[in-house]
């Protein structure tokens, strides 16, 4: 019996329909590998921590310009008592911008908060109401008194450029639990980017796939939508073919991390076409939630930052591993759009305080109400502190890396707890002195990562986020 030879059209139709099965099989295989934790699942596959983790997600709140700890969280009665007097032992002291004048009391009154009675100033009354959920470290120190290098150290562990951000280290160690969003998202302030810009979320010498993706509620990720002239079928078909070709190329060059990063980023971009558009759409949030954050506030800068805080919660809710959320930007000049209060600190902070206060308090309350605090760590960090004196001839405080405050909240840390202290004036850390290396080691520990084991060989050196330093601040662990 003679077999009928199919026509060209029939042949193409039958073979093209098989591409769908090939793509489906590849996706199913990838999901199975992800579930098993296999290396072949891709560079962003979820990986096991070194030991059981207390936290699965981090929100890293970065204050740009360095707010004054003595005007916010570090209560110093002696500073009030000696207001207008020279600081003992500091005659002729010269700091970042020059000579210092006399001691100046906090410009906002401190009051006891919550059941713990923690003293917090009236500059941030909404955050103050959350005192019983916060874990304060009052003895933090930094290595630089200059914005750029100090920003670098807080985000990357080093004052020099060229080192990966903490979010990149975390995703390098743990991968992602989210298939359709980046593992590491940076959310710049609606007023602009920080002084160090993308260095905060750059992967540097780590594989490129671990670089953070930057977007915010007012400026979504560009180029997500399919071009108007391309049909859905053509888009999906092209995607399947490219995926097949990419896999063949990867099989030929398995050690090419840049190729792996490109493949992973293209595949993630395809999945993000729906997910990223949805996560930034706040229309489904209730009026009560929008009001909690201050999303509809008449102050446009506050409303914009509030949307970013709400976006952070929505990202965490969808499995994003690390969210770096910025308050303040440098494009507007010294102290105008940031906390760099050198000349007229009272006037400037009266602007910045309300922008920060309700949205961050709303974020904490919302995370707590939804049960997200159980596996989310919130870290409130800055570049350095500020002086307890006013600058000579000015009405503001100069940079001070010798002692300042950060706080933690959520998974794995003690509530209503204070660790360390500065001296009587808030000038320098005097009790349980801590470093940024220690802070990073503690954050990694809460994620189940031994900071001494998390390393990457680069240019002849086994590099770590904590360099050759760092100890876990075990006193703050819950």
């Amino acid at each position: 019996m003679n077999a009928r030879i199919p026509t060209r059209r029939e042949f193409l139709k039958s073979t093209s329909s098989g591409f769908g099965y090939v793509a489906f099989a590849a996706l199913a295989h990838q999901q199975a590998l992800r579930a098993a934790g296999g290396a072949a699942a891709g560079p962003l596959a979820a990986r096991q921590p070194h030991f059981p983790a207390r936290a699965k997600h981090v929100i890293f709140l970065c204050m740009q310009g360095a707010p004054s700890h003595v005007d916010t969280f570090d209560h110093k009665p002696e500073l009030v008592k000696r207001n207008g007097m020279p600081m003992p032992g500091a005659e002729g002291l010269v700091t970042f911008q020059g000579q210092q004048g006399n001691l100046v009391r906090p410009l906002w009154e401190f009051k006891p908060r919550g059941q713990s009675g923690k003293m917090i100033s009236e500059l941030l009354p909404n955050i103050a109401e959350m005192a019983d959920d916060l874990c304060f470290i009052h003895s933090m120190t930094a290595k630089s008194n200059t914005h750029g290098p100090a920003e670098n150290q807080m985000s990357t562990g080093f004052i020099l450029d060229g080192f990966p951000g903490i979010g990149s280290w975390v995703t390098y160690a743990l991968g992602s639990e989210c298939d359709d969003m980046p593992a590491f998202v940076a959310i710049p302030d609606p007023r602009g980017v920080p002084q160090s810009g993308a260095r905060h979320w750059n992967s540097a010498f780590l594989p490129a796939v671990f670089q953070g993706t930057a977007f915010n509620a007012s400026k979504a990720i560009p180029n997500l939508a399919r071009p108007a002239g391309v049909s859905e079928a053509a888009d999906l078909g092209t995607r399947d073919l490219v995926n097949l070709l990419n896999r063949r190329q990867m099989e030929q060059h398995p050690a090419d991390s840049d190729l792996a990063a490109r493949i992973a980023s293209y595949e993630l971009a395809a999945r993000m076409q729906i997910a990223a558009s949805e996560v930034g759409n706040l229309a489904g949030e209730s009026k009560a939630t929008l009001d909690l954050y201050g999303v509809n506030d008449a102050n446009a800068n506050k409303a914009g930052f509030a949307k970013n805080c709400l976006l952070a919660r929505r990202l965490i809710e969808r499995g994003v591993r690390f969210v770096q959320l910025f308050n303040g930007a440098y494009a507007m000049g010294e102290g105008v759009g940031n906390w760099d209060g050198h000349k007229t600190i009272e006037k400037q902070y009266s602007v910045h305080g309300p922008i920060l206060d309700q949205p961050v308090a709303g974020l904490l309350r919302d995370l707590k109400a939804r049960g997200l605090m159980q596996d989310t760590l919130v870290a409130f960090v800055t570049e350095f502190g500020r002086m307890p004196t006013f600058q000579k001839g000015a009405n503001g405080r100069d940079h001070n890396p010798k002692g300042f405050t950060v706080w933690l909240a959520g998974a794995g840390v003690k509530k209503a707890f204070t660790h360390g202290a500065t001296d009587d004036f808030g000038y320098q850390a005097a009790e349980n002195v801590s470093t940024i290396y220690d802070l990073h080691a503690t954050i990694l520990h809460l994620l189940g990562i031994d900071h001494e084991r998390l390393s990457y060989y680069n240019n002849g050196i086994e590099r770590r986020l904590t360099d050759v330093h760092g100890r876990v601040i075990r006193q703050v662990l819950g």
Side-chain angles (χ1 to χ4, degrees), residues 145-170:
N145 68 350
T146 306
H147 292 294
E151 284 185 33
N152 282 353
Q153 191 191 8
M154 185 56 79
S155 280
T156 74
F158 294 80
I159 61 174
L160 300 176
D161 295 347
F163 291 88
I166 181 173
S168 294
W169 278 111
V170 169

Side-chain angles (χ1 to χ4, degrees), residues 354-381:
I355 293 172
L356 172 73
D357 185 39
Q358 182 185 350
V360 168
L363 174 61
L364 293 172
R365 289 190 176 98
D366 201 16
L367 290 170
K368 186 177 179 181
R370 294 171 185 268
L372 294 171
M373 280 291 219
Q374 295 175 11
D375 61 6
T376 301
L377 175 70
V378 180
F380 180 99
V381 304

Side-chain angles (χ1 to χ4, degrees), residues 53-77:
R54 298 293 300 277
K56 293 183 178 180
H57 313 279
V58 176
I59 297 177
F60 202 61
L61 287 163
C62 297
M63 303 300 107
Q64 301 307 292
S68 165
H69 57 295
V70 296
D71 290 296
T72 51
F73 302 116
D74 198 1
H75 182 228
K76 294 299 173 186

Side-chain angles (χ1 to χ4, degrees), residues 145-471:
N145 68 350
T146 306
H147 292 294
E151 284 185 33
N152 282 353
Q153 191 191 8
M154 185 56 79
S155 280
T156 74
F158 294 80
I159 61 174
L160 300 176
D161 295 347
F163 291 88
I166 181 173
S168 294
W169 278 111
V170 169
T171 52
Y172 166 66
L174 299 177
S176 176
E177 292 185 336
C178 182
D179 285 333
D180 53 10
M181 289 297 298
F184 172 24
V185 173
I187 308 179
D189 190 283
R191 291 167 287 184
V193 297
Q195 184 163 302
S196 289
R199 291 195 292 275
H200 286 277
W201 55 88
N202 197 344
S203 60
F205 49 74
L206 291 179
V209 71
F210 301 113
Q211 177 173 297
T213 300
F215 64 97
N216 61 26
S218 59
K219 189 175 182 181
I221 302 175
N223 306 317
L224 283 180
R226 186 172 58 249
V230 178
S231 69
E232 182 178 4
D235 186 26
L236 292 174
T238 302
R239 202 181 298 175
D240 289 341
L241 177 60
V242 170
N243 180 59
L244 178 64
L245 296 174
N246 280 338
R247 293 301 162 197
R248 288 180 178 174
Q249 187 77 355
M250 198 70 234
E251 288 171 2
Q252 296 173 20
H253 306 281
D256 190 339
S257 67
D258 286 340
L259 175 60
R262 283 198 299 273
I263 292 172
S265 65
Y266 286 138
E267 291 177 344
L268 176 61
R271 296 191 296 271
M272 281 172 58
Q273 283 187 325
I274 297 174
S277 299
E278 187 275 333
V279 77
N281 182 4
L282 309 183
E285 298 287 346
S286 69
K287 182 179 184 302
T289 299
L290 299 178
D291 291 344
L292 176 67
Y293 285 82
V295 165
N296 295 317
D297 198 274
N299 181 333
N301 287 327
K302 176 181 174 181
F305 180 65
K307 291 175 184 176
N308 284 352
C309 288
L310 180 50
L311 174 62
R313 186 222 83 201
R314 290 172 64 86
L315 289 166
I316 291 296
E317 207 168 29
R318 286 155 178 77
V320 173
R321 179 79 69 184
F322 198 99
V323 176
Q324 189 165 10
L325 176 61
F326 295 89
N327 177 259
Y330 278 88
M332 304 169 74
E334 179 185 286
V336 178
N338 56 65
W339 293 92
D340 197 20
H342 286 281
K343 304 298 190 297
T344 56
I345 191 170
E346 185 170 14
K347 178 181 177 182
Q348 291 168 331
Y349 280 22
S350 294
V351 172
H352 304 322
I355 293 172
L356 172 73
D357 185 39
Q358 182 185 350
V360 168
L363 174 61
L364 293 172
R365 289 190 176 98
D366 201 16
L367 290 170
K368 186 177 179 181
R370 294 171 185 268
L372 294 171
M373 280 291 219
Q374 295 175 11
D375 61 6
T376 301
L377 175 70
V378 180
F380 180 99
V381 304
T382 182
E383 305 161 19
F384 35 66
R386 304 201 84 84
M387 292 294 295
T389 55
F390 269 9
Q391 295 177 210
K392 195 169 184 179
N395 291 301
R397 305 186 190 273
D398 205 355
H399 303 175
N400 177 21
K402 294 178 179 293
F404 59 100
T405 295
V406 301
W407 54 255
L408 305 172
V413 297
K414 293 176 180 175
K415 297 181 179 180
F417 187 75
T418 294
H419 175 73
T422 52
D423 60 26
D424 288 343
F425 309 107
Y427 172 51
Q428 57 187 354
E431 190 178 303
N432 292 319
V433 179
S434 300
T435 68
I436 292 172
Y437 303 117
D438 301 335
L439 177 65
H440 287 167
T442 304
I443 292 172
L444 293 179
H445 178 84
L446 289 165
L447 289 163
I449 303 170
D450 181 343
H451 74 102
E452 294 183 340
R453 293 171 59 190
L454 177 61
S455 64
Y456 191 88
Y457 187 77
N458 176 66
N459 200 24
I461 301 174
E462 200 71 32
R463 290 292 190 186
R464 289 175 13 201
L465 171 64
T466 53
D467 196 16
V468 295
H469 312 283
R471 59 175 180 82

Side-chain angles (χ1 to χ4, degrees), residues 73-108:
F73 302 116
D74 198 1
H75 182 228
K76 294 299 173 186
E78 195 68 17
L79 188 56
V80 177
K81 181 180 176 181
R82 301 205 188 191
N83 180 53
M85 300 180 184
M87 184 165 65
E91 292 79 8
L93 178 65
V94 175
T95 57
F96 179 69
Q97 284 200 353
Q99 284 189 296
Q100 294 302 294
N102 293 332
L103 295 167
V104 176
R105 61 173 293 157
L107 303 177
W108 288 266

